[in-house]
Amino acid sequence: MTSFSLRSRPGGLSGGNRGPNDNSTKTHLENISDLREVKHNKQKRNIAPLILKNRPRILVICFSSCVVLFFFFFLSHNLPVTNDEADSEDKKFAPMGTIVYGAKSKGDDTDKLVAQAITAGFRHIATGGFHFEYNEPGVGIGWKESGVPRNELYLQTLFVSKSVNNYGVQNCKVEGCPPSPDLSIEDQVHLSIKSSLHNLQTTYIDSVLVHNFRAKLQTYEDTMAAWRVLESYVDRGIIRHLGIVSVHDRDYLIKLHNETRVKPSIIQNRFHSNRGYDVELRPLFKEMGMSNQLFWILTGSAGGKVRNNNVITEIAQRQGVSNQILLYSFILVCLGGTPLIGSKTLLHMEEDVTALLRNPLIWNDEDFTAVANVINKNLIKNKI
């Protein structure tokens, strides 16, 4: 049998000893390469007129493709957030606190007291922007000094219109301050948020509440004008939640809830007898999904009633707390409210956190009824 080997062939593909026809083979390959180049150049010359002839159509196709890609990108980043996505995003931020440290009337001690409150265990801090009784920059310094990361804290502030009592601009340190007296309600909101971000040393605010002074509501039109601007900050992630202060009018709240796109998450009211302790409104707050923050707890009528009351003292001693902490616990555990607490010593702050968060008091029906009867017997309707 005859065997063949590519390696044994002269000038074979294996690259052995070249034979006498090597030069002709090389010339042949070069000719093939020249033919391919000529053919390629001819194709290029044939394509060029086609491109020029169809240039408008090609441009339209390219433009259309860009438009489609743009809208795909835009829509993919602006679709409504699903509940699962919202839950996932919320995990990056601190939740609302079940108790709140109120920084009102702390003056030059604000930074020290806020840092102490956070050290004691408070995580939700309430302050105010254009409000003359708050030192908002002090809150920014205080949380920074605490060493607790920003996303573990819930920072809340106020928008106060110039038409509302308590308005003050001592906290305004940014460009545009002091604000012009002719500033529109919309521009007041923009300047207030800019100032609060600066004062609080943060890129976002967990909640902004539209402030009213006691029962004197600003006009509904002004509230809505401010709310629309605040909603735009929620859309951009600069504000997380919105709320309102001192509204005891059912119809007002229902209208606000129905006509806003970003619903109020917080209602902050006085816990006081002259407003019936909101007994009739508290079910509405719950129905609307609003956290009910309460202030004037110790300084108002309820605080006066429990301070030296024998029934309250007996229950408090049995629970191992002060009469004041018993009242905070009554609001938190029995009514489902969120007390604003303004303690000014580290010891009291630690007592607050221990009795209300770490080792919450246990209530029975008898004690609840006894405390409700001391403050206002109608509060029995609000038991959760």
Side-chain angles (χ1 to χ4, degrees):
M1 178 183 287
T2 304
S3 63
F4 296 92
S5 171
L6 290 176
R7 187 177 299 276
S8 63
R9 292 182 62 187
L13 295 179
S14 63
N17 296 327
R18 295 182 180 275
N21 294 325
D22 283 349
N23 290 335
S24 62
T25 301
K26 181 178 179 182
T27 302
H28 177 67
L29 291 173
E30 288 175 349
N31 289 339
I32 291 174
S33 177
D34 291 341
L35 286 172
R36 286 176 177 171
E37 185 175 353
V38 170
K39 184 177 180 181
H40 178 67
N41 291 336
K42 185 176 181 181
Q43 287 175 339
K44 287 171 63 178
R45 287 195 299 271
N46 290 338
I47 290 171
L50 288 174
I51 293 173
L52 291 173
K53 181 179 179 181
N54 293 282
R55 185 166 57 181
R57 185 178 299 173
I58 293 171
L59 290 173
V60 169
I61 293 171
C62 291
F63 178 76
S64 300
S65 300
C66 291
V67 169
V68 170
L69 288 172
F70 171 79
F71 276 104
F72 175 79
F73 177 83
F74 178 82
L75 290 173
S76 67
H77 284 73
N78 290 275
L79 289 172
V81 179
T82 65
N83 289 335
D84 290 341
E85 290 170 334
D87 290 343
S88 175
E89 290 184 2
D90 281 346
K91 291 177 182 177
K92 303 174 186 175
F93 304 107
M96 290 184 197
T98 54
I99 63 173
V100 177
Y101 185 73
K104 184 180 178 182
S105 302
K106 302 300 188 291
D108 293 338
D109 291 330
T110 298
D111 55 344
K112 178 188 72 175
L113 293 173
V114 166
Q116 287 180 348
I118 294 171
T119 299
F122 284 90
R123 290 296 179 266
H124 187 148
I125 311 296
T127 184
F130 291 1
H131 191 296
F132 79 88
E133 292 187 78
Y134 283 100
N135 177 1
E136 192 178 48
V139 173
I141 296 170
W143 84 257
K144 283 281 193 176
E145 289 179 347
S146 74
V148 173
R150 172 66 182 90
N151 66 348
E152 293 181 15
L153 298 172
Y154 191 100
L155 300 183
Q156 172 181 309
T157 193
L158 301 172
F159 164 68
V160 185
S161 166
K162 65 184 179 183
S163 64
V164 175
N165 284 17
N166 299 133
Y167 177 77
V169 295
Q170 79 283 353
N171 292 325
C172 193
K173 309 293 183 183
V174 296
E175 184 180 355
C177 296
S180 164
D182 301 325
L183 213 58
S184 68
I185 189 84
E186 292 84 359
D187 286 337
Q188 289 179 59
V189 174
H190 288 305
L191 184 59
S192 179
I193 299 306
K194 179 181 178 181
S195 176
S196 290
L197 290 168
H198 171 78
N199 292 338
L200 296 174
Q201 302 184 50
T202 183
T203 57
Y204 69 95
I205 305 170
D206 293 287
S207 61
V208 175
L209 278 54
V210 176
H211 184 64
N212 292 288
F213 179 73
R214 298 185 182 175
K216 186 180 178 182
L217 294 174
Q218 67 178 330
T219 66
Y220 183 78
E221 291 72 25
D222 278 355
T223 295
M224 285 304 299
W227 202 278
R228 295 302 183 208
V229 179
L230 291 169
E231 286 179 326
S232 72
Y233 284 92
V234 175
D235 293 339
R236 289 185 282 162
I238 297 173
I239 299 173
R240 294 178 58 209
H241 303 126
L242 301 180
I244 196 160
V245 178
S246 294
V247 180
H248 305 272
D249 185 321
R250 172 183 291 271
D251 293 338
Y252 189 103
L253 282 174
I254 291 174
K255 187 176 182 182
L256 179 68
H257 184 271
N258 289 341
E259 295 184 2
T260 52
R261 184 168 52 82
V262 177
K263 307 301 180 185
S265 299
I266 298 169
I267 174 74
Q268 186 187 101
N269 280 351
R270 287 175 294 161
F271 189 65
H272 202 277
S273 59
N274 64 10
R275 287 295 172 267
Y277 297 102
D278 283 337
V279 168
E280 303 303 327
L281 286 176
R282 200 157 282 116
L284 179 66
F285 301 159
K286 185 176 181 181
E287 180 184 337
M288 290 181 172
M290 294 190 292
S291 171
N292 180 202
Q293 294 181 0
L294 300 168
F295 62 98
W296 274 25
I297 295 171
L298 301 184
T299 55
S301 55
K305 290 179 179 181
V306 306
R307 189 170 297 119
N308 298 310
N309 183 277
N310 291 334
V311 172
I312 301 298
T313 301
E314 188 278 323
I315 298 172
Q317 289 178 348
R318 182 158 31 89
Q319 293 272 23
V321 297
S322 67
N323 290 21
Q324 290 77 11
I325 289 182
L326 187 76
L327 179 54
Y328 285 143
S329 179
F330 174 79
I331 288 171
L332 174 63
V333 178
C334 301
L335 303 183
T338 301
L340 269 75
I341 300 171
S343 299
K344 293 185 178 180
T345 69
L346 180 59
L347 175 62
H348 286 161
M349 295 171 186
E350 290 173 341
E351 290 174 348
D352 297 333
V353 171
T354 298
L356 300 173
L357 294 183
R358 296 189 179 128
N359 300 302
L361 307 187
I362 298 174
W363 287 78
N364 57 44
D365 290 342
E366 183 180 351
D367 286 348
F368 165 74
T369 302
V371 173
N373 283 333
V374 170
I375 301 170
N376 185 316
K377 63 181 180 181
N378 288 326
L379 286 167
I380 293 173
K381 299 178 184 178
N382 293 153
K383 186 177 185 296
I384 59 173

